[in-house]
Structure formats: structure tokens, C-alpha cells
Amino acid sequence: MGSLKKDFKFKLIKNFLSEGERILLKNYTNMFHLHNINDFDLSEASESSDTAKYSDLTMESLMLSKTGRVEKESGLKLIPTYSYWRCYSNDSDLKNHKDRPSCEVSISCQIDSDGTDWPIKVDGTDVHMENGDALLYLGIELEHSRDPFEGDYHIQTFLHYVDKEGPHKEYAIDKRPIYGVKK
């Protein structure tokens, strides 16, 4: 898979979002969460009050606009697959897992939080992020998780890609006809 595998397993990218992007996305996700009546993440926790959105138009646009930056940081030519964002609430967690093939190269970006430190564990290492930071990692190779969240809210977006020359390139656009639609 090229230089990404050789050089590192995961990488923290400080200030992945500009301050303007972060404020825009913070306002957008907060408003969406406050008005949400349909998009609760019931797959993660049966009684979750977390808002979660696959293929959100705003996040799909972010994913496309950040492709060049992710290519530069990874050293790979990438094809965007899909985006997903989630507003986590108190006691949310992330079970230890590896991702599906559409997440060969992933970005987990912290948009906003109440200030409660909530590291993501990647390959056994705690990675601490601040608002606007992102973690670049090999989602299908590395186990990752989070302990139960002790704060009030934490907003994260996930931007997923496949290596244009890799074994998972058939997952381009997450096998959808166009960006911004559900499967």
C-alpha cells in the first residue's frame, strides 16, 4: 500500500480543519443534533441519544475538499468513499473494531467537544485530539476504540478513502452511484 504502511500506522494531524471550517461544522452539527428526530445511532447503542449521519452532504463535501490534504499526509493517491459524522453524548463508547474495506485509509476529525478529554485508542495507543485535529489511520488494519465518554458532547467526523492503486479500489464512492446518497 505504498509509503503509508512503511512510514507509520497512524498519524495525528494538528489543525486539519481551519478555524472557519471548524466553526461552520460546529454550528451545522449542533443545529442538526438539536433538530434531529430521525438520525439516532441505534446501531451502536440500543438507547443512544447520539446523532449520527452517513453520507451527509456537508461532510461529503468536506471529504472531497480534503482529499488532496489526505493524499499529501498519506503519500497515496486516494479515492474518497464516504463520510459519517456523530455527535456523541454521555456514556457513549466505541467498541474495539477494525473497519470495512471502504475505510482502507481513514480520517477521524474532532469538530468540537465540551472540553472533556476522550482519547481514541489505536493499536493499543491513546491518541488525544483537540478541536480541529484529525487522526489519519489504516481503518481496516488497526483496531480502534474509545472508553465510555464522561462528558456531555463530542462531535467527530469520519472521512474514508481507498488507495487508488490498492486492493480495495472497487469500494470507490462506497459502491454508490454518486456522493451524497445512501447505499
Side-chain angles (χ1 to χ4, degrees), residues 4-178:
L4 185 65
K5 273 189 174 176
K6 279 186 186 173
D7 297 337
F8 60 90
K9 295 180 180 181
F10 57 90
K11 177 181 185 178
L12 180 64
I13 304 169
K14 300 296 286 176
N15 301 308
F16 181 74
L17 297 177
S18 70
E19 188 64 12
E21 289 170 327
R22 196 186 71 72
I23 290 169
L24 176 94
L25 295 172
K26 171 188 169 181
N27 291 336
Y28 173 76
T29 54
N30 279 329
M31 283 189 284
F32 192 102
H33 179 67
L34 290 172
H35 294 277
N36 181 24
I37 58 170
N38 296 316
D39 294 299
F40 291 103
D41 192 358
L42 301 178
S43 66
E44 296 285 331
S46 62
E47 296 187 27
S48 173
S49 61
D50 296 355
T51 298
K53 190 84 169 126
Y54 170 88
S55 185
D56 176 271
L57 295 175
T58 300
M59 298 307 171
E60 296 275 281
S61 298
L62 178 70
M63 174 187 65
L64 293 171
S65 71
K66 292 293 187 178
T67 302
R69 173 89 186 266
V70 179
E71 286 180 331
K72 181 180 175 190
E73 295 286 351
S74 69
L76 298 169
K77 292 292 182 191
L78 300 171
I79 304 169
T81 57
Y82 76 95
S83 66
Y84 180 84
W85 70 268
R86 185 169 170 187
C87 180
Y88 295 90
S89 56
N90 184 266
D91 210 33
S92 295
D93 65 1
L94 181 64
K95 303 293 184 212
N96 196 34
H97 70 285
K98 291 182 182 178
D99 293 327
R100 59 192 179 90
S102 295
C103 310
E104 184 177 14
V105 177
S106 293
I107 287 285
S108 178
C109 180
Q110 183 172 317
I111 294 172
D112 194 49
S113 78
D114 64 3
T116 303
D117 186 38
W118 194 38
I120 184 169
K121 296 177 188 300
V122 181
D123 202 28
T125 301
D126 282 357
V127 178
H128 301 267
M129 289 189 272
E130 297 176 4
N131 294 339
D133 292 349
L135 176 68
L136 171 65
Y137 61 103
L138 305 175
I140 62 174
E141 292 185 24
L142 300 175
E143 289 190 343
H144 47 286
S145 64
R146 288 183 189 255
D147 292 334
F149 181 53
E150 296 178 2
D152 291 323
Y153 77 94
H154 182 98
I155 305 167
Q156 202 80 16
T157 191
F158 308 90
L159 312 175
H160 301 291
Y161 304 86
V162 291
D163 183 344
K164 199 178 272 189
E165 299 169 10
H168 304 291
K169 60 184 171 237
E170 78 228 42
Y171 290 90
I173 315 177
D174 205 23
K175 295 190 171 185
R176 299 173 291 168
I178 58 173

